[in-house]
Amino acid sequence: RKQRNDVAALFAGELAPKVAAERAELVEALAAAVSPASWEHLRASRGLSLVRARGVMSRSLTALLRDAGAEVR
């Protein structure tokens, strides 16, 4: 729950224009993308370097936000 709340706070600006159901789904998707399990998978199971794992996480978050119609820099 804390991670989900942290994600919601971090992306509050991008989430604000969304209707409640879409916002909740997007928060869950973003939280899953940045979960410790996802990070562990990239680093340990996939063997990605720190730089590559960060790149994958960044690309995932950007794709999720763009798909939701958020403006991403």
Side-chain angles (χ1 to χ4, degrees):
R1 182 172 290 197
K2 180 183 177 341
Q3 182 187 9
R4 189 175 61 230
N5 292 339
D6 290 347
V7 166
L10 183 62
F11 294 103
E14 293 84 357
L15 295 166
K18 307 297 173 208
V19 296
E22 185 180 7
R23 185 171 49 247
E25 185 177 84
L26 183 54
V27 166
E28 293 297 343
L30 292 166
V34 298
S35 71
S38 293
W39 183 255
E40 179 69 16
H41 174 73
L42 293 173
R43 295 284 283 141
S45 298
R46 303 293 303 155
L48 298 184
S49 68
L50 183 63
V51 171
R52 287 196 63 207
R54 281 182 181 160
V56 169
M57 286 243 168
S58 177
R59 183 177 293 267
S60 297
L61 294 174
T62 299
L64 286 167
L65 291 167
R66 281 193 181 139
D67 181 66
E71 196 171 313
V72 181
R73 295 174 257 171

